[in-house]
Amino acid sequence: MTIPQDGLWSIGELAERAGTTVKTVRFYSDGGLLPEASRSSGGHRRYGPDALDRLGLIRSLRALDLPVPEVRRILEDDGTGGAVLADAVAGQLRELGGRIQALRWREAGLQLVQECAPEERADRLRLIGAVAAPPNTDTLVRFWRAWLPPRMAARDRAAFLEVAVPAPPADPEPGQVLAFARLNAFVTQPCIADRPCQPAAHHSPEFRPDVLYAGLAEAYDLAAPHLRRGRAPRSGEALDCFVAAYADAFRTRDTAGFRHVLGEQLAGDPRIDRYWELVAEVLGSRDGRPVPTPGAAHDWLLAALTTEPALRAAC
């Protein structure tokens, strides 16, 4: 098709040149995305050759599923080096990633329902259906906010939640989806009436929660290599750091007597072992070994405390 003598195309000529429909060109023109160069004596729209490139850009952006308002912002970019386009593409990638993750969770969930015994399917479907796809961690965060001491500083609480609340895997195995669904069900159960929901230490007026949880985080990090190597609980730096965290939190000294009392107190605290077992299943393995959780580290250190052959003060 040749360009008319006046250098302008009708709406039909532009649509034909672009390989689209007149309706599409009119839609973008009416929306102000594709300005017309002029009107004919009969009131018909006329477009210049630059309209073809602009229409191609619009269609390319729409093919990326960018909404019309985003397309408008990109077209009106005043020369910021493509920053508006870069931001729009980045946002679209995030949204697309979320949709892909949702599809992967749904696929794994359907596999779980399909593969279980017929008599178990209804219960499993209800279990998985209680979790969004992709899931969020809101219920887990609420659980820990109720568990952690109320006087704990926001910064320290956030640091603890960072390691205690597992991020849902982006590309989960069916077993990870089942574990996350069970984890969600676990944290939504009410506390048993005749058992406390929090450790005894949380209720002491002398207790300094920020000191304790900062020290525990260090102790758990020290215990993690032992867990990864499958070592039996033992005395050493990790245990000393663990006991020191409690001693410092109560402004006392690490003595043999304190260790004895601490071991008895911790053994009597409410247990949430099932939470950490499910967290380990959600996290999966790394280099063929389970990822150590704070709960596993705590149990390892408590076992080391209660079985050490000779209680002694830390250096």
Side-chain angles (χ1 to χ4, degrees), residues 162-174:
E162 185 71 23
V163 296
V165 176
D171 189 8
E173 298 291 332

Side-chain angles (χ1 to χ4, degrees), residues 151-177:
R151 292 182 290 115
M152 191 171 183
R155 179 187 61 186
D156 296 308
R157 183 181 291 110
F160 180 86
L161 292 174
E162 185 71 23
V163 296
V165 176
D171 189 8
E173 298 291 332
Q176 291 174 298
V177 171

